[in-house]
Amino acid sequence: MTIRMLSVVAAAAALAAACANNQTAAPTAADATQFLATVSDTMKRLSVEQNQAGWVQQNFITDDTEALAARMNQRYADAVGRFARESARFDKVSVPADQRRELGLLKLALVMVTPSDPKEGEELTTIMARLESTYGRGKWCADAAKPDACMNIDDITKVMADSRDAAKLRQVWEGWHTVSPPMRKDYARFVELSNKGAREIGFKDTGAMWREKYDMPAEAFTKELDRLWDQVRPLYLKLHAYVRMKLHEKYGDAAPASGPIPAYLLGNIWAQDWSNIYPLVAPKNADPGFSLTEILKQRKMPPLDMIRAGERFYSSLGFAPLPKTFWERSLFIRPMDREVVCHASAWDIDLEGDVRIKMCTEPTAEDFTTVHHELGHNYYQRAYKDQPVLFRDSANDGFHEAIGDTIALSVTPEYLVKIGLLSSAPDASRDIGLLMKRALEKVAFLPFGLLIDQWRWKVFSGEITPATYNKAWWDLRLKYQGIAPPSPRGEDLFDPGAKYHVPDNTPYTRYFLADILQFQFHRALAKAAGCTSPLHRCSIYESKDAGSKLNAMLSMGTSKPWPEELEVIAGTKQMDASAIVDYFAPLDKWLDEQLKGQKTGW
Ligand SMILES: [Zn+2]
C-alpha cells in the first residue's frame, strides 16, 4: 500500500556550514537556474541509488543489505537537507514561477529538519533511530517466564481481528500499550529539536512546515479539513451508533448501549478500520451471495493472471501496457528461499519508467484489489516522468494513495462479470452488505485519519505540552472517533506512541485526504464514463473518456498547486466529501431505519 519515491525521512546538517561561504556576492537568477540544475541532477542520481539499495534490501533481507540501504538513505537525506538550506539564498531573487515552485518544494521535501548544530543534529538522529526501534522491536509478554509467548504487533493484530472474547481483547489492547511509555521522554526531545531545525529554514514549527505543503496558509488548511469532516460526520455518527448497538448485543455490559465505544472492541488495535467485525454487524439477508476469494481459489488463479487483469483495467482506460522491465523485475510471489518484505508496495526505481510492484500475491479478494491499487501508483509515476525532477510527485501527498483506491472502487460486481470472474451480478437488494463492509473500512477510518495530525500539530506548536500528551490524545479520540480507553490513561503512559506513524514520524493527513479524494475522483470519472447507476455500482472499466481525464491530471505531477490539478478531474478546485455521502446513500438510508428512535453521538 505504500510507495517509494523522492520522499525524505530525515536530513542531517553536517554540511550546512558549507553554504555560508557562498554568500559573498548577491545571487542572480542565473545562479538560481544553475543551482536547480545541480539539485535535480544530484537528487535524481542519489534517489536512484537509494531506490536500488532499498529494492535489494527488501527483496533480500540481511544485515548487509540493511546497512547498505541505510547508508544510501542517509546520503540522500544529507544532500536534500543541504540543498534546502542553500535554497534560502534565492528567497529574494526574482525567478520564473516554475523555478519559484521548485525552490519551495525543495524546502518542503523534508519531513524533519535536523538543527545545524552538529551535536544537536546527532542527538536527534539517535533519538529517531531509538524511537523507531522501540516500536519495531516492541513486544508484550503476558508471562515473563514464557518469552516464547510474547506478542509482536503482527500477533496483536491477529488477536484483535479474530478474537470475540472481550476480556482477552482488553488484555491484549492494554498489553500493546505497554510498548510505548519508554518513548515519552525521547518524543518530547524530538519535538524540541525538530522544531529548532524547522525554524532555521524559516518555519514556525515542524507542524507548520508540514501544512505548508498544501499550497495554502496553515490555518486555512486546518479549516478546510474541519469543513470536510463536517460534511461526512453525520454519516459517521450513524455508523458509530449502529455498530455500538450491535456490539452491545454481542458483549453486553462490556459494550455500553450509549456513550463512546470501548477502543478494544472494534477489530483493530487503533480502532481505525472496523472491517474485521463485519460478521458482528452484517445486515440480515444482504449477503452479496458470492465470495471473490472463493472464486479465485477455486479457479486456482495464478498471481501473474491477477496482475495481468489489473494491467488490462488500465489498458481499457487507454494507458499504454506496462514495460517489459516491469514483468522482469517485479516481485509477485513470496520466495521460498529467503526473507523479503511482503507488505505490498509500488516502486519507481529510476524515475524514468522502471516501475515495479513488490507483493506476495495470494488468490484473495483483498490482493485482487491491492493489485489494482499498487498499479495506480506505477501508472501515476510513469505519467509524470517527463516533468522536471522536483515535480515528479503527486499533486499533494493525498493524491498518490487516492489514485489506486479510486481504481479499486471500480472493482464492482459488474466489472467482475465483464472480466469473466462472476457469472451474474447480485441484485440491488444485496448492496447493503457490500456497502457496510466498505463503510467499516473507509468511513470508520476518517476521524482517525484526521486526529493523528490534529494532535501532532498542537504538540509541535506547543499548545499540547508533555504534561498533557496522553490527556490531549484521548480528548481527540473521544471528540472525533467517539471511542474511549477501558480505564483512565495517565501521563505515565504514552498511547500515541503505540501507533507506528508517531514514533516513525510519518505525516498522516495524507490518508484522510486520500479517503476523501478517492470518492470525489470516482464520482467525477464515473460521470465522464457516462455511468447512470448508483455510484457504488459504477465502474470506469473500458472508458477512454474517464482514462484521458485521469491521465491529464496524473501527467501534471506536482507542477501546479493541487487545487488546479483537482479541477482537471473534478471540475472544481475544492475538495468535496459529499461524494462519500452520495456513494453510501443507500446505507445511510438503511442505517436510519435500523436506528429509529436511537440517539446517535456520545
Ligand atoms: Zn498505496
Side-chain angles (χ1 to χ4, degrees), residues 1-2 373-374 377 401:
M1 309 284 182
T2 47
H373 171 93
E374 296 303 336
H377 290 307
E401 289 305 327

Side-chain angles (χ1 to χ4, degrees), residues 17-130:
C19 63
N21 300 331
N22 298 335
Q23 288 174 347
T24 40
T28 63
D31 293 337
T33 304
Q34 206 198 347
F35 172 72
L36 280 169
T38 308
V39 167
S40 299
D41 285 354
T42 312
M43 276 175 76
K44 187 170 169 215
R45 181 170 52 79
L46 293 178
S47 98
V48 173
E49 289 179 12
Q50 180 192 34
N51 289 336
Q52 288 170 328
W55 176 265
V56 173
Q57 184 250 320
Q58 294 207 8
N59 279 275
F60 196 93
I61 306 172
T62 69
D63 290 341
D64 298 316
T65 58
E66 274 179 8
L68 289 170
R71 200 176 304 159
M72 291 304 171
N73 289 344
Q74 194 62 47
R75 273 178 63 176
Y76 180 73
D78 286 352
V80 179
R82 180 164 50 93
F83 289 142
R85 282 163 202 288
E86 288 181 11
S87 71
R89 286 200 294 143
F90 303 103
D91 282 354
K92 299 211 161 58
V93 180
S94 166
V95 296
D98 272 8
Q99 291 192 357
R100 179 51 61 204
R101 185 165 174 82
E102 287 183 87
L103 288 164
L105 287 169
L106 180 56
K107 269 195 194 171
L108 294 167
L110 307 165
V111 166
M112 180 182 86
V113 186
T114 44
S116 53
D117 174 48
K119 254 182 116 175
E120 288 178 333
E122 205 187 310
E123 185 188 356
L124 182 53
T125 310
T126 310
I127 285 175
M128 291 318 289
R130 197 161 54 221

Side-chain angles (χ1 to χ4, degrees), residues 11 50 71 193 282 292 307 309 323 384 434 457 486 508 510 545 566:
Q50 180 192 34
R71 200 176 304 159
L193 291 172
L292 179 56
I307 293 153
Y384 57 56
L434 287 168
W457 293 341
Y508 210 74
R510 65 184 63 166
D545 289 340
L566 174 64

Side-chain angles (χ1 to χ4, degrees), residues 23 151 214:
Q23 288 174 347
M151 298 172 80
Y214 294 101

Side-chain angles (χ1 to χ4, degrees), residues 402-442:
I403 294 305
D405 278 6
T406 300
I407 300 301
L409 288 177
S410 276
V411 180
T412 57
E414 283 78 6
Y415 164 64
L416 297 175
V417 171
K418 272 194 181 162
I419 64 168
L421 280 175
L422 198 62
S423 51
S424 66
D427 73 66
S429 67
R430 309 289 173 146
D431 283 1
I432 296 301
L434 287 168
L435 284 170
M436 175 61 82
K437 222 173 226 175
R438 199 151 254 171
L440 292 173
E441 183 194 343
K442 308 270 185 185

Side-chain angles (χ1 to χ4, degrees), residues 14 28 66 94 213 241 270 279 314 319 428 474 582 587 594 600:
T28 63
E66 274 179 8
S94 166
K213 248 195 147 168
W270 306 286
Y314 289 87
F319 288 90
W474 283 106
D582 281 1
L587 180 71
Q594 309 305 309
T600 62

